[in-house]
Amino acid sequence: MASIHSYNFAGKRALIRVDFNVPINKETLEVTDDTRIRAAAPTIKHIIDQGGSVVLMSHLGRPKDGYEQKFSMENIVDHVSKVIGTPVKFGGDCIGEGAYEMSKALKAGEVMILDNVRFYKEETAGDEAFAEKLSKHGDVYVNDAFGTAHRAHASTTVAAKFFPNDKLFGFLIEGEIESVDKVLNSAEKPVTAIVGGAKVSSKIVIIERLLDRVDNLIIGGGMAYTFVKASGGQIGNSLVEDDFLEMAKSIMEQAKAKGVNLVIPTDTIIADEFSNDANTQEVQIDAIPDGWMGLDVGPNTIDACREVIVNSKVILWNGPMGVFEMESFQKGTVSVANAIVDATSNGAFSLIGGGDSVAAINQFNLADEVSYVSTGGGAMLEYLEGKELPGIKAVRE
Ligand code: AMP
């Protein structure tokens, strides 16, 4: 496998699969959050600085059947151009004549973008003939779309096979892989994982895998109540998955057997309805009255989590501690975020990986104060589960 660090892009057209599936204002058609564009910029700049040219391809939204203006990449061309500091040409239909003429004529340092690859249903079907057509736009294939690396689509996976010796990862994917590997295979200890979020069922594979790799495992969010109930606690009307009580018990036993310090909340903030304006109380987590539900962790749990986190050398955070979207129930999640920031400033490596903890760290404006914030929700979860992501495999093999 080639490497972006050593590959000579001079005089080559790089076909880069980026993840520019960015939110767009429905009325003005302007980009409202350009995180994903900024994340791909280093790869694009590196290639044009070396004298290569760039053909960008991505999906945007979920078009139903063919072209729809609101999902056209044309809407984001100016924004991409601003972010990378280079004019970007719009190639139109990703396998249209015009696009081929444009990509063939690209000069060193020039950048163009193809229209939404999902205007063709062959994209999500992983159609080989379509992937081959896309491959004609480049001399070298660069995958820098971590957010879609878990999909075996034409542009994310199948296209790689048409570049047997000229396929590589961009800086973004490389960074994502390196940071997860740093956490999962860390020689430095203690390693702490904080797993929160709504449901234990969606995180079970990750939790079991982490038990072999971490010293501390903090459980938070809605899933904590399934653990509390499994231990015989009264959880009132809190979120629970009764089908997973046995699994929760098994996790507690496995943690004990493996010498993992499993931190389960001891106190909680309860509410009499699922609302920011609900009446609240602070109670022991195993003594929640009927009619009340736990929506955040309590102060003793916050202190216990902080103690573990600030003494960690490596930290993975996946999933919020409570309903952080509501101000009344965000203290637990804010406190974990702050503890991670403090540990990071003391030299720990911290990865915020997957879904809502990424949303939380961004909401609290702390993304720049942790080591790495993943850009791939579902992809990061699958990578943490130990699955081989098709987009990554295709470049590696
Ligand atoms: P996930 O996507 O599984 O990481 O779950 C994230 C969601 O879990 C967020 O929207 C939170 O509001 C929600 N959540 C966290 N704690 C609780 C709780 N105690 N009860 C209900 N929902 C929760």
Side-chain angles (χ1 to χ4, degrees):
M1 189 185 98
S3 157
I4 189 162
H5 300 278
S6 52
Y7 194 88
N8 183 2
F9 289 97
K12 297 261 173 73
R13 293 174 308 159
L15 175 62
I16 315 181
R17 183 27 160 123
V18 285
D19 181 4
F20 285 175
N21 182 28
V22 290
I24 285 188
N25 181 307
K26 282 198 186 78
E27 266 111 56
T28 63
L29 296 179
E30 276 168 29
V31 176
T32 54
D33 178 350
D34 63 4
T35 310
R36 287 176 169 162
I37 299 174
R38 284 185 285 112
T43 297
I44 301 169
K45 285 184 188 162
H46 174 80
I47 293 170
I48 53 182
D49 284 351
Q50 278 212 346
S53 56
V54 166
V55 181
L56 298 167
M57 61 177 171
S58 176
H59 74 288
L60 177 62
R62 290 171 184 263
K64 279 191 200 73
D65 189 17
Y67 178 85
E68 280 176 77
Q69 199 220 338
K70 66 177 175 195
F71 295 127
S72 174
M73 287 296 166
E74 196 167 10
N75 300 319
I76 73 165
V77 170
D78 290 346
H79 202 113
V80 175
S81 172
K82 221 184 293 165
V83 171
I84 64 172
T86 302
V88 175
K89 301 177 185 193
F90 178 57
D93 180 354
C94 62
I95 54 168
E97 268 315 306
Y100 287 113
E101 271 169 32
M102 193 183 280
S103 66
K104 236 181 258 156
L106 276 187
K107 296 194 193 75
E110 288 187 335
V111 179
M112 66 177 274
I113 188 164
L114 301 171
D115 210 351
N116 198 337
V117 286
R118 286 202 194 162
F119 286 158
Y120 287 87
K121 59 183 182 325
E122 288 86 345
E123 164 64 4
T124 48
D127 184 85
E128 202 166 316
F130 178 65
E132 186 171 16
K133 285 181 193 161
L134 290 174
S135 75
K136 304 284 185 219
H137 286 295
D139 308 309
V140 48
Y141 174 75
V142 181
N143 191 346
D144 213 18
F146 186 69
T148 48
H150 59 320
R151 308 275 183 226
H153 294 172
S155 68
T156 64
T157 300
V158 187
K161 74 164 64 155
F162 300 101
F163 302 86
N165 302 312
D166 299 277
K167 52 184 177 175
L168 45 96
F169 296 130
F171 292 121
L172 175 62
I173 287 210
E174 209 180 60
E176 296 272 355
I177 296 172
E178 267 173 23
S179 47
V180 188
D181 290 348
K182 223 180 213 172
V183 171
L184 296 181
N185 307 311
S186 172
E188 276 206 274
K189 289 184 178 316
V191 179
T192 296
I194 305 134
V195 182
K199 292 180 170 177
V200 67
S201 52
S202 62
K203 307 274 169 86
I204 206 76
V205 181
I206 293 177
I207 291 175
E208 288 201 300
R209 191 154 184 259
L210 289 172
L211 284 174
D212 287 323
R213 292 171 160 82
V214 302
D215 304 291
N216 306 296
L217 177 60
I218 297 174
I219 300 286
M223 71 172 66
Y225 304 90
T226 298
F227 284 84
V228 175
K229 185 168 179 185
S231 310
Q234 304 291 317
I235 57 160
N237 292 30
S238 305
L239 203 62
V240 67
E241 287 175 285
D242 285 318
D243 294 349
F244 281 82
L245 292 172
E246 284 309 312
M247 186 49 107
K249 265 189 215 161
S250 154
I251 287 169
M252 291 187 274
E253 281 157 16
Q254 286 179 57
K256 210 173 196 178
K258 291 177 179 177
V260 175
N261 174 31
L262 186 66
V263 182
I264 292 176
T266 54
D267 57 350
T268 179
I269 308 298
I270 55 173
D272 58 357
E273 57 175 332
F274 192 80
S275 152
N276 193 39
D277 304 320
N279 295 306
T280 61
Q281 293 183 53
E282 206 179 285
V283 297
Q284 289 301 299
I285 203 164
D286 57 359
I288 303 177
D290 282 344
W292 293 74
M293 62 191 99
L295 296 184
D296 197 5
V297 291
N300 295 331
T301 304
I302 287 177
D303 288 348
C305 293
R306 181 173 176 84
E307 180 68 18
V308 169
I309 293 167
V310 295
N311 288 304
S312 299
K313 285 273 177 285
V314 177
I315 302 158
L316 165 70
W317 183 24
N318 178 299
M321 301 302 279
V323 185
F324 74 100
E325 298 94 333
M326 298 183 198
E327 212 181 328
S328 307
F329 309 107
Q330 63 173 215
K331 225 182 212 163
T333 306
V334 173
S335 307
V336 159
N338 282 323
I340 294 173
V341 165
D342 291 345
T344 311
S345 68
N346 282 329
F349 176 80
S350 54
L351 164 62
I352 316 303
D356 277 350
S357 35
V358 172
I361 204 91
N362 285 328
Q363 184 179 316
F364 307 149
N365 285 323
L366 294 172
D368 291 340
E369 297 180 55
V370 295
S371 310
Y372 199 91
V373 180
S374 174
T375 58
M380 176 53 85
L381 290 182
E382 290 194 17
Y383 198 80
L384 287 170
E385 285 178 353
K387 286 191 189 144
E388 197 171 31
L389 307 186
I392 290 181
K393 185 165 176 253
V395 170
R396 278 188 178 150
E397 64 189 14

